[in-house]
Amino acid sequence: VFYTSKMGVVNYVLSWFNVAPQGWLTSVNLAPLTVVIFSFWLRMGFNVLICLAVLQTISKEMYEAADIDGASALKKWWYITIPRSKPILMYVLIMTMIGGMKRFNETFVLGGEDGLPGGSLFTTVMYLYTVAFKSGNQTYGATISVILFLIIFALTFINTRFIKFNDSDY
C-alpha cells in the first residue's frame, strides 16, 4: 500500500511536487533503493534511541567548561560530543552493517523468493535460503553462511581498526 504505483502514499506525496508516479517495487533500478529506504526507516527508531541515550550520558560540566573557555558549538560537538559518543556510534555502525549484510525479511516480503523484479532484490541470504531449504543442499548452505560470517567479521574488524579510540576519549 505504501509503495504501490497508483495509489501509494509515497507517490501521493510526490504528486504534490508534480512528480509522476513511480513503480517502486516493479522497477529494477528503484526496487533496491526502496528496500534500503524501508530498512533505514525500520531501524531508525532503535538507532535514534541509542544515540539519544549516549547523548544524555555526556557530562554537562564538560560543556560548561567549554563555554567558559569560549568554544563554539562546532568545537564542542567535535571535541566533546563525538569523542564521548564514539563507542556507541561504532556499535550502531556495526549493527547497521550486519543488518544490511543479512537482509532477508524485507527483500523476501517485498520481492518474493525470486527477488523480483528481475532478481534485483535477490541477496546473499536469499541465495542461502534457496540453496539450503528449497534445493535441500544444507552442506552448501552451511558453507555460504560461514563465508558470510567471515565477510561480516572482516568488515567489522576493519571498522574497529578504522575508528581509533584514545584513552583521552573516555
Side-chain angles (χ1 to χ4, degrees):
V1 174
F2 197 73
Y3 286 117
T4 57
S5 299
K6 300 202 187 271
M7 297 178 47
V9 175
V10 175
N11 282 330
Y12 178 71
V13 171
L14 288 176
S15 71
W16 297 344
F17 303 102
N18 294 324
V19 176
Q22 303 293 317
W24 295 101
L25 294 173
T26 57
S27 168
V28 175
N29 296 327
L30 287 178
L33 176 66
T34 303
V35 170
V36 168
I37 292 169
F38 177 72
S39 298
F40 176 77
W41 185 255
L42 188 67
R43 289 172 177 80
M44 185 171 49
F46 176 75
N47 292 341
V48 167
L49 187 65
I50 294 292
C51 290
L52 284 175
V54 75
L55 289 176
Q56 292 177 351
T57 64
I58 300 174
S59 171
K60 303 284 186 252
E61 288 82 18
M62 296 182 81
Y63 290 113
E64 290 172 4
D67 283 334
I68 291 170
D69 288 343
S72 66
L74 181 63
K75 285 190 176 186
K76 287 189 282 188
W77 178 76
W78 186 256
Y79 291 107
I80 297 173
T81 307
I82 294 297
R84 294 289 173 176
S85 304
K86 267 187 187 179
I88 299 302
L89 292 175
M90 186 68 172
Y91 170 77
V92 168
L93 172 74
I94 289 173
M95 294 309 290
T96 303
M97 181 200 64
I98 290 171
M101 293 292 289
K102 65 179 193 69
R103 180 168 292 131
F104 177 79
N105 293 344
E106 297 92 344
T107 54
F108 189 79
V109 168
L110 295 175
E113 290 180 358
D114 299 326
L116 298 175
S120 64
L121 299 180
F122 200 75
T123 63
T124 306
V125 181
M126 288 182 73
Y127 179 64
L128 173 106
Y129 168 77
T130 303
V131 166
F133 299 109
K134 300 294 271 180
S135 301
N137 192 350
Q138 282 85 19
T139 306
Y140 187 49
T143 305
I144 295 168
S145 65
V146 168
I147 291 172
L148 182 62
F149 166 76
L150 293 174
I151 291 170
I152 291 171
F153 182 78
L155 289 174
T156 303
F157 183 77
I158 290 168
N159 280 335
T160 56
R161 293 294 171 226
F162 181 70
I163 299 176
K164 301 287 184 198
F165 295 112
N166 298 328
D167 292 335
S168 63
D169 289 344
Y170 301 109

